[in-house]
Amino acid sequence: MKKLFKLIWLETSFLKRTLIVIFVILTAFSSAFLAILSVIFDTPKGIIDGIDAGKKHYFELYGGESLALSAPDKTADFAERYDAALCYGTIEGTTQNAVLSFNDNVFESDIVTKLGSGEYKLEYRVERHGYFVPAKYARQLKYFAPFEGEKGILLCNEAAKELKVKAGQNVELNGREWTVLAVFNKSKVAHDYTETDSVVPAAWYYVVDDSAGVRFDELYLTYPSAETTFAVWKKAPNVFTISKIFEESHENIALVQTYYGYLAILLGALNLFLLYVLFSLFFRSRKTQICRFKLLGATDITVAGIYLVIALVLIVASIAVASAFSVLISKFILDLCGKLFRGTYTYHYRVWLPFSLLGAFVLLAVVNFALLQRKVSRVPIAEEVRYE
Amino acid sequence: MISIDDLTKKYVTGKTDFFALSNVSLQIADGEFVAVTGKSGSGKSTLLNILGTLDSPTSGSVTVDGANLANLAHRQIAQYRNKTVGFVFQAFYLEPSYTVYDNVELPLILAGKVGDNSGKVNAALQAVGLLNKSSEKARTLSGGEQQRVAIARAIVNDPSYILADEPCGNLDTTNSNKVMEILADLHRSGKTIVMVTHDAEDAARAERIVTMSDGKIVSDEKTVQTHLA
């Protein structure tokens, strides 16, 4: 055993530079790999965990007398992460055409329930197409410019017919003049205008066909506990209430997962390449060296002991250091992912991963060495040393 | 004593057989300094490789100190390479990243001697005149120095036989002379030396010259020793 340690000590002394290279490569790839895994596994879970209807947030109607509603950027960012939601609104009087929209998120009135005298509950379905906007929507809607300025308003076809106005004309509602930006089929409102780029970012809008003289008491949206730091906005005269928001489905998550899946495959391929480099460093270039050792009287067992122990030590050390570094780098990568996909991704260190990598590496080391030994044993040492 | 009986080594290249050695028989007494010469491809290196168990014969036998090399187990072959013979090659085959000391100590470690080997290592380095270079990396040495380190490594385990394959092939005249003087000293100290060379001048320093051609021994004669006496 002492002999083995002494030989290992001699061998590893010249592997230091190699070791640094291995650390750097392994750290980089492992970090990226871990980060991608975190996003893939944690994002859906985080969204589902985030559903919490216990909090209220108030928003001021934009312009006071208008029917548009503004909200802080952070609120908008939060909503943008979701594919769909239900919004419950309580209003005095109602219209089924009520739509709440944020940029390319649309809260479309879906279900209207009369709660009592003059009180209705509106359930809004949020349609979100996010960053993966189907081109057809963009093409269809490019000529719309809803919510431009404070005068813009959308009217449903029934309201427009009743008021005898067309898109581009002005109409007086609630004691002020509006410009009709578009007339939409109320059953398709969400899809009719939501993809336009002209919607002001980071703002919520509530647009209503107000022909019935609807008045909204208040609006509040319910957000997960993680979003409780929003400022409570002062209620304006025309505020309305949405009592609950939660996700119903996560259409985009599957898409995001697909993208991350591709990235994971790419990184997996890179990791395989790394493995190839790694074991080339360890073994392939050592065929001649093994022969030299045998030339001087090393047995097969001694040679196997030297190289397998060296490989094991280097692999353990590499994975340990790489894992430590990858925590930091993964967080950085996740921050970037968060900015890219407008989300907040939390890094969760997976204990099983380094052990899995370790097991895989060791297995490969053993297999690689066995193949190498087989190759060496088939070629006379004389042949090997002759061509050095 | 080395006894080579009817040794044949055949290589199959395509559909034709090539005989690197063809029914070679040779006796080398203990303490002899034998030079094996011949043109390239004559089979002299193949003979040395089989002697060193670095290659195996197709037929025939090699007996060293009464032991038939073909009958040795793997562990015994390792011991044979480690203790019975010492190798010196044209290309040195040192571990370039090791120090001179580590290179010379390596056969001792492989022999299981992991204690303080400085006495034997330093003695071997002293014998080749490189004691002052023991802490330097092998790759930093000149060719002549590297070959002397290889000789020190070959003798550190005090083997009975030194097998040298073109030991001066990569060296200039000055370093060749130094290496040959070291081999002569080893011969004088009782080592049996089998040296493969194509250089007639180097071969003339041996006490016996075996000339090979086309895998066969074509002459085997004693030399008149003058300059090594």
Side-chain angles (χ1 to χ4, degrees):
Chain A
M1 196 52 105
K2 280 184 179 177
K3 178 175 79 175
L4 197 61
F5 281 132
K6 182 114 184 185
L7 288 168
I8 289 166
W9 177 254
L10 283 174
E11 284 291 279
T12 50
S13 63
F14 75 93
L15 281 174
K16 284 171 187 167
R17 199 176 300 165
T18 307
L19 198 60
I20 292 169
V21 175
I22 291 169
F23 281 163
V24 171
I25 297 172
L26 201 59
T27 300
F29 283 128
S30 298
S31 302
F33 190 60
L34 289 174
I36 296 303
L37 284 179
S38 290
V39 173
I40 290 172
F41 287 117
D42 293 336
T43 301
K45 184 175 180 296
I47 289 174
I48 293 166
D49 289 347
I51 296 172
D52 180 356
K55 304 295 178 184
K56 291 180 180 179
H57 296 274
Y58 294 87
F59 302 92
E60 187 174 25
L61 279 174
Y62 187 71
E65 294 296 324
S66 77
L67 297 174
L69 178 74
S70 64
D73 289 352
K74 199 171 179 183
T75 306
D77 285 344
F78 168 79
E80 196 182 33
R81 298 209 307 263
Y82 298 91
D83 302 320
L86 283 180
C87 306
Y88 294 90
T90 304
I91 59 176
E92 282 184 13
T94 185
T95 173
Q96 292 187 35
N97 300 329
V99 171
L100 182 65
S101 170
F102 160 70
N103 204 357
D104 46 10
N105 294 279
V106 175
F107 292 65
E108 179 186 4
S109 62
D110 194 29
I111 304 169
V112 181
T113 308
K114 189 171 184 178
L115 300 175
S117 177
E119 189 177 1
Y120 294 82
K121 181 178 81 172
L122 267 67
E123 295 180 19
Y124 296 89
R125 181 179 301 279
V126 178
E127 300 286 344
R128 179 184 184 247
H129 307 289
Y131 285 88
F132 312 107
V133 179
K136 62 178 182 178
Y137 290 123
R139 281 199 301 275
Q140 287 173 357
L141 303 169
K142 62 182 179 183
Y143 53 87
F144 283 110
F147 316 125
E148 282 185 346
E150 298 179 5
K151 291 185 176 180
I153 191 170
L154 296 177
L155 294 180
C156 74
N157 48 354
E158 291 179 3
K161 185 178 179 182
E162 185 179 331
L163 295 168
K164 298 178 181 175
V165 291
K166 297 179 180 178
Q169 294 180 333
N170 290 342
V171 63
E172 190 174 316
L173 283 170
N174 289 338
R176 63 173 292 185
E177 190 172 86
W178 302 86
T179 299
V180 180
L181 299 169
V183 177
F184 54 87
N185 184 322
K186 63 184 180 183
S187 64
K188 297 180 179 177
V189 60
H191 302 291
D192 280 347
Y193 68 89
T194 55
E195 297 300 336
T196 179
D197 293 332
S198 62
V199 175
V200 180
W204 292 78
Y205 293 91
Y206 187 83
V207 182
V208 62
D209 167 12
D210 200 25
S211 58
V214 171
R215 289 291 180 273
F216 301 94
D217 285 338
E218 62 178 356
L219 165 71
Y220 63 91
L221 296 175
T222 304
Y223 287 104
S225 56
E227 309 291 338
T228 56
T229 54
F230 296 154
V232 174
W233 288 48
K234 183 182 178 183
K235 287 191 286 185
N238 286 342
V239 293
F240 56 97
T241 301
I242 293 178
S243 60
K244 193 175 184 181
I245 177 171
F246 62 89
E247 289 77 19
E248 191 175 60
S249 65
H250 312 286
E251 294 171 5
N252 276 353
I253 290 175
L255 192 57
V256 172
Q257 279 182 319
T258 302
Y259 275 77
Y260 282 131
Y262 292 145
L263 285 173
I265 291 169
L266 180 65
L267 287 169
L270 290 172
N271 275 307
L272 286 177
F273 175 73
L274 170 70
L275 282 177
Y276 174 78
V277 173
L278 199 67
F279 287 105
S280 292
L281 286 170
F282 282 149
F283 294 125
R284 286 184 187 278
S285 62
R286 309 226 173 280
K287 196 169 73 171
T288 305
Q289 203 167 8
I290 287 172
C291 286
R292 266 188 253 159
F293 266 43
K294 288 188 173 180
L295 183 78
L296 297 175
T299 62
D300 288 346
I301 294 172
T302 302
V303 173
I306 293 168
Y307 286 104
L308 288 179
V309 172
I310 288 173
L312 188 64
V313 169
L314 291 184
I315 288 167
V316 170
S318 300
I319 289 177
V321 174
S323 298
F325 275 103
S326 65
V327 172
L328 298 173
I329 296 174
S330 296
K331 285 179 178 173
F332 175 73
I333 292 173
L334 288 177
D335 283 344
L336 288 180
C337 287
K339 287 175 183 173
L340 185 64
F341 295 102
R342 296 201 180 186
T344 302
Y345 302 113
T346 308
Y347 177 78
H348 294 292
Y349 183 71
R350 291 177 171 76
V351 178
W352 56 265
L353 193 65
F355 287 102
S356 301
L357 284 173
L358 179 64
F361 275 43
V362 170
L363 185 64
L364 278 171
V366 172
V367 171
N368 192 303
F369 187 78
L371 292 174
L372 184 65
Q373 277 285 63
R374 189 162 167 256
K375 196 172 181 180
V376 168
S377 65
R378 285 183 172 183
V379 180
I381 295 174
E383 289 288 313
E384 190 59 42
V385 294
R386 185 181 299 163
Y387 299 112
E388 186 184 10
Chain B
M1 173 155 180
I2 297 173
S3 178
I4 299 168
D5 295 313
D6 207 19
L7 199 66
T8 295
K9 177 67 180 180
K10 181 177 73 176
Y11 293 105
V12 179
T13 53
K15 293 180 179 178
T16 58
D17 294 342
F18 170 71
F19 286 87
L21 295 174
S22 182
N23 304 111
V24 172
S25 294
L26 184 67
Q27 306 290 317
I28 299 173
D30 287 344
E32 268 196 301
F33 187 171
V34 179
V36 182
T37 67
K39 291 179 181 176
S40 181
S42 61
K44 54 189 188 298
S45 288
T46 304
L47 178 67
L48 195 79
N49 288 335
I50 292 173
L51 266 180
T53 66
L54 306 182
D55 206 344
S56 55
T58 306
S59 64
S61 67
V62 178
T63 305
V64 178
D65 294 340
N68 187 338
L69 297 185
N71 296 332
L72 297 180
H74 286 300
R75 182 175 288 273
Q76 289 172 312
I77 289 174
Q79 286 180 343
Y80 172 80
R81 290 177 192 150
N82 183 250
K83 294 177 179 172
T84 307
V85 296
F87 294 96
V88 180
F89 290 97
Q90 180 178 355
F92 322 135
Y93 300 135
L94 299 175
E95 295 297 333
S97 58
Y98 287 18
T99 64
V100 167
Y101 183 95
D102 290 338
N103 265 289
V104 177
E105 191 188 20
L106 196 52
L108 292 170
I109 297 169
L110 290 169
K113 299 168 185 172
V114 291
D116 181 14
N117 293 318
S118 59
K120 287 185 176 180
V121 174
N122 289 339
L125 286 172
Q126 182 77 52
V128 298
L130 286 176
L131 188 56
N132 60 331
K133 303 261 185 179
S134 65
S135 59
E136 294 185 19
K137 297 281 187 186
R139 61 171 170 261
T140 65
L141 302 181
S142 68
E145 288 173 328
Q146 288 193 47
Q147 192 59 293
R148 284 149 67 192
V149 173
I151 294 173
R153 185 181 64 179
I155 64 175
V156 73
N157 251 338
D158 195 24
S160 303
Y161 304 93
I162 304 292
L163 306 180
D165 190 353
E166 302 282 6
C168 304
N170 280 345
L171 305 180
D172 57 24
T173 306
T174 306
N175 281 304
S176 290
N177 286 332
K178 283 183 183 175
V179 167
M180 289 308 299
E181 283 168 14
I182 292 168
L183 291 176
D185 285 342
L186 291 171
H187 172 229
R188 277 192 287 271
S189 68
K191 304 288 184 195
T192 303
I193 298 173
V194 181
M195 178 181 71
V196 165
T197 180
H198 66 274
D199 187 295
E201 193 174 336
D202 290 342
R205 300 191 183 195
E207 58 184 5
R208 180 181 168 192
I209 299 176
V210 174
T211 306
M212 297 187 69
S213 177
D214 296 330
K216 296 177 180 175
I217 294 174
V218 292
S219 73
D220 185 351
E221 52 194 22
K222 298 277 186 181
T223 58
V224 179
Q225 297 295 302
T226 52
H227 50 286
L228 286 177

